[in-house]
């Protein structure tokens, strides 16, 4: 049991760190949410008004606003530790310290990621409750304890998948001088193909059928739909299966890249 | 404890011509060059031994330390530390080594030292009672009790280095690698850290490898040194022997009688070089074979009240070897 104590300490240290930067923590969060939902509000308000409609592809205006509120919150949950959480360690040579400690580097980083997941998830719950208290529950929102559990489970597994996915891109830093643009591209791709810009049921059906076999929809659209109560149980099982498939495949790829990368690692800056 | 045989490490480095044109060209046609950081290094370090690794910047010292600690992979050769291949990074190996990098913080920047130590206790699974006893001893000896609850980022360089040292010793490692452990520290802090390392060696008998540009570190801590030049060991032996074998000059110092007869303020340049001269003393550096002639000239020319002949200091000898190589 004592062998696992360090995990608890890493997790709690990360929580302490986040709370010690409280100004950043509380200013960045509402600013990000307000910008995202503000843009969506003006865009969709004009569309609903121009077309004189009350529903679009199954979404009411308030339903869409709730969707767009959930997008940055889910994105924040998934992102966890900051961008460049591995590449900066490689570039600055600080990866070296993790290589001499008798613990797994990825487990260490994942625990920090999990701490951020925990805080961001609390923000997610509080913000949704605030929305519902102010604007009421949208018609299409059919949440029940079961759908909340399904959504939370999907969010948790998606965060693991995102962590591994991002780690793969971060590991390119073993060979490339700068991976920042690659990481931005990854985030934009996830944002677009994950339904962050427009819900995926606005996409052509054939593309959604294809996308459903990729990791992207499970990083925003799918868990949000689950919270809305719009994912039947058999679809949930299929989605969970696809997520597990991707977690295993990506973890295998990450393992190969990591081993190869360490052969090229020079510990610069040390 | 540490055995290295014919160790080689080659880095592949990207070469780019200067200016915008060079940058654009390198986008399409990248040129690489091989840099041989280690060219077949062999050495052994035994239990309780402190080995000083000396060499100019880029000689390969840090590369060797990084390979021994399991951070980087060698291109070829055999490495054995405590019976393990360091690059496999087995837990049992990692629990018995420590690495201190003077130029790089290893502790978590945002945490106070006390939190970092607690985390390290759990990582290395040090029993609570042993941890408390060791921490108390280290904190007292290095006089950092008042800084324990301050974030690492807010500590001075000297305080941070002391914390790094404590962090590296909490699990009582059997092998220690210290890369520039006193860099940037004031004289008091340098001395405190040196004394501490010697004291630790007396109590725990670990094998240590130290790299430092400060000759005093090497002189005070190491009985044996290895000089590396361009990836090759050019000297491996005792510190005393290097002076006996490679010091080509000696230093003659004479204390003079101020009230003695007027003296000629010069010294023949073909005999040696005047290092310092005043009304009441003269210090000259002469080659070994010219010591008798120089000493008798000083005795005959100046009103000498005291005369001493000393070896060159170790730093000068090593510096000369690094500059000219070993002949």
């Amino acid at each position: 049991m004592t062998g696992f104590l360090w995990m608890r300490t890493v997790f709690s240290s990360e929580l302490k760190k986040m709370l010690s930067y409280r100004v950043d923590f509380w200013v960045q969060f509402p600013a990000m949410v307000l910008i995202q939902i503000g843009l969506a509000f003006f865009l969709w308000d004009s569309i609903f008004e121009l077309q004189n409609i009350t529903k679009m592809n199954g979404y009411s205006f308030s339903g869409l606003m709730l969707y767009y509120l959930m997008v940055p919150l889910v994105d924040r949950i998934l992102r966890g530790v900051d961008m460049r959480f591995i590449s900066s360690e490689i570039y600055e040579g600080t990866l070296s310290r993790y290589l001499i400690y008798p613990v797994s580097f990825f487990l260490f980083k994942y625990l920090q990621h999990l701490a951020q997941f925990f805080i961001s998830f609390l923000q997610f719950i509080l913000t949704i409750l605030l929305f519902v208290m102010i604007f009421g529950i949208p018609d299409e929102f059919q949440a029940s304890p079961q759908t909340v559990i399904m959504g939370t489970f999907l969010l948790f597994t998606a965060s693991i998948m995102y962590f591994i996915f991002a780690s793969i891109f971060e590991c390119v830093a073993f060979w490339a001088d700068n991976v920042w643009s690659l990481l931005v591209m990854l985030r934009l791709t996830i944002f677009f193909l994950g339904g962050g810009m427009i819900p995926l049921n606005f996409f052509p059906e054939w593309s959604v059928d294809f996308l459903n076999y990729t990791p992207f929809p499970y990083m925003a659209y799918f868990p949000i739909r689950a919270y809305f109560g719009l994912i039947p149980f058999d679809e949930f099982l299929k989605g969970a299966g696809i997520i597990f498939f991707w977690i295993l495949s990506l973890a295998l790829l990450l393992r190969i890249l990591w081993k190869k990368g360490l052969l090229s690692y020079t510990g610069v800056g040390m | 404890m540490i055995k290295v045989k014919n160790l080689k490490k080659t880095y592949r480095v990207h070469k780019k011509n200067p200016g915008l044109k060079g940058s654009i060209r390198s986008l399409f046609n990248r040129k690489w060059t091989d840099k041989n950081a280690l060219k077949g290094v062999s050495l052994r370090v035994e239990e309780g031994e402190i080995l000083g690794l000396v060499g100019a910047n880029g000689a390969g010292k840090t590369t060797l330390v990084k390979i021994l600690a399991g951070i980087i992979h060698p291109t070829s050769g055999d490495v054995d530390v405590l019976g393990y291949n360091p690059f496999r990074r087995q837990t049992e190996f990692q629990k018995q080594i420590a690495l201190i990098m003077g130029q790089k913080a290893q502790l978590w920047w945002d945490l106070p030292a006390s939190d970092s130590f607690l985390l390290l206790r759990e990582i290395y699974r040090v029993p609570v009672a042993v941890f408390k006893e060791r921490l108390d001893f280290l904190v007292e000896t290095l006089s950092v009790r008042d800084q324990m609850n301050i974030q690492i980022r807010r500590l001075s360089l000297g305080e941070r280095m002391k914390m790094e040292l404590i962090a590296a010793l909490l699990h009582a490692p059997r092998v220690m690698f210290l890369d520039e452990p006193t860099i940037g520290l004031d004289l008091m802090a340098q001395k405190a850290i040196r004394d501490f390392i010697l004291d630790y060696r007396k109590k725990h008998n670990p094998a240590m490898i130290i790299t430092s540009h400060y000759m005093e570190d090497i002189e005070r801590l190491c009985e044996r040194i290895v000089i590396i030049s361009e990836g090759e060991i050019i000297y491996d032996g005792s510190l005393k022997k290097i002076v006996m074998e490679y010091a080509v000059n000696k230093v003659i110092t004479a204390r003079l009688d101020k009230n003695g007869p007027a003296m000629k303020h010069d010294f023949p340049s073909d005999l040696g070089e005047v290092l310092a001269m005043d009304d009441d003393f003269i210090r000259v550096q002469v080659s070994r074979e010219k010591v008798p002639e120089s000493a008798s000239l000083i005795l005959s020319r100046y009103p000498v009240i005291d005369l001493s002949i000393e070896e060159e200091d170790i730093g000068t000898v090593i510096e000369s070897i690094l500059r000219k190589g070993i002949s």
Side-chain angles (χ1 to χ4, degrees), chain B residues 293-305:
Chain B
E293 195 184 339
S294 307
S296 49
L297 180 89
I298 290 171
L299 286 168
S300 64
R301 189 177 281 188
Y302 303 100
V304 176
I305 28 180

Side-chain angles (χ1 to χ4, degrees), chain B residues 126-180:
Chain B
V126 183
V128 177
V130 178
F131 169 77
K132 277 187 179 164
E133 190 189 330
R134 271 184 206 155
L135 187 63
D136 258 2
F137 170 75
L138 294 167
V139 166
E140 271 319 306
T141 315
L142 289 167
S143 319
V144 284
R145 193 167 293 285
D146 292 344
Q147 287 78 39
M148 285 285 284
N149 293 320
I150 300 172
Q151 267 183 324
I152 293 292
R153 63 163 74 243
R154 296 182 197 280
L155 297 179
S156 72
L157 182 61
E159 289 165 346
R160 185 176 66 71
M161 267 319 295
K162 287 178 183 174
M163 297 301 186
E164 295 276 353
L165 205 55
I166 294 174
L169 298 176
L170 281 172
H171 60 292
R174 290 178 63 209
V175 172
M176 287 175 70
F177 305 105
L178 299 108
D179 192 36
E180 306 277 358

Side-chain angles (χ1 to χ4, degrees), chain B residues 115-312:
Chain B
D115 279 5
S116 287
F117 297 153
L118 194 66
L119 178 55
L120 289 170
R121 180 189 81 73
E122 287 160 3
I123 285 178
Y124 287 103
R125 300 187 198 185
V126 183
V128 177
V130 178
F131 169 77
K132 277 187 179 164
E133 190 189 330
R134 271 184 206 155
L135 187 63
D136 258 2
F137 170 75
L138 294 167
V139 166
E140 271 319 306
T141 315
L142 289 167
S143 319
V144 284
R145 193 167 293 285
D146 292 344
Q147 287 78 39
M148 285 285 284
N149 293 320
I150 300 172
Q151 267 183 324
I152 293 292
R153 63 163 74 243
R154 296 182 197 280
L155 297 179
S156 72
L157 182 61
E159 289 165 346
R160 185 176 66 71
M161 267 319 295
K162 287 178 183 174
M163 297 301 186
E164 295 276 353
L165 205 55
I166 294 174
L169 298 176
L170 281 172
H171 60 292
R174 290 178 63 209
V175 172
M176 287 175 70
F177 305 105
L178 299 108
D179 192 36
E180 306 277 358
T182 59
I183 195 161
L185 303 188
D186 63 42
L187 293 173
M188 295 270 285
Q190 282 183 32
K191 188 178 177 305
I193 286 185
R194 277 186 216 117
D195 290 345
F196 182 77
I197 291 171
L198 286 172
D199 193 46
Y200 183 82
R201 195 261 293 262
K202 206 182 287 173
K203 287 193 178 104
H204 294 87
N205 216 28
M208 296 195 212
I209 293 186
I210 293 182
T211 77
S212 180
H213 286 292
Y214 293 144
M215 268 313 129
E216 206 174 336
D217 284 351
I218 302 294
E219 278 185 67
R220 286 282 322 279
L221 299 172
C222 316
E223 295 92 15
R224 179 179 153 214
I225 64 164
V226 162
I227 302 180
I228 299 192
S229 176
E230 293 177 5
E232 286 174 299
I233 292 181
I234 56 169
Y235 178 84
D236 182 351
S238 81
L239 204 56
K240 281 181 191 151
K241 211 173 115 196
I242 199 169
V243 178
M244 299 298 289
E245 283 185 14
Y246 297 101
V248 287
N249 298 314
K250 287 204 168 200
V251 176
I252 305 176
T253 308
R255 204 150 65 81
L256 311 176
D257 182 2
K258 258 187 186 170
N259 305 317
M263 30 181 198
K264 277 172 105 179
H265 275 79
D266 63 352
F267 186 81
S269 59
D270 57 324
L271 278 183
E273 184 192 348
V274 177
L275 298 176
M277 183 183 264
D278 209 338
D279 286 346
D280 57 352
F281 84 96
I282 178 169
R283 181 177 294 134
V284 293
Q285 181 178 277
V286 297
S287 58
R288 278 178 182 274
E289 65 273 18
K290 288 184 177 164
V291 168
E293 195 184 339
S294 307
S296 49
L297 180 89
I298 290 171
L299 286 168
S300 64
R301 189 177 281 188
Y302 303 100
V304 176
I305 28 180
D306 183 31
L307 183 123
S308 66
I309 302 169
E310 291 157 8
E311 295 287 359
E312 262 183 312

Side-chain angles (χ1 to χ4, degrees), chain B residues 16 50 63 81 192 211 227 270:
Chain B
K16 184 184 87 65
I50 305 183
T63 296
V81 180
T211 77
I227 302 180
D270 57 324

Side-chain angles (χ1 to χ4, degrees), chain A residues 9 21 92 99 262 266 270, chain B residues 66 89 94 104 110 122:
Chain A
T9 307
Y21 293 118
E92 288 161 27
L99 299 180
L262 283 181
T266 58
M270 175 187 149
Chain B
K66 284 192 264 190
R89 285 191 290 277
Q94 290 170 316
K104 203 94 218 165
D110 298 309
E122 287 160 3

Side-chain angles (χ1 to χ4, degrees), chain A residues 187-208:
Chain A
R187 282 191 59 190
L188 288 176
T189 309
I190 290 174
F191 185 66
F192 183 67
L193 298 180
M197 196 173 276
I198 309 165
L200 287 187
N201 58 339
F202 285 65
F203 282 39
E205 205 177 317
W206 62 266
S207 64
V208 179

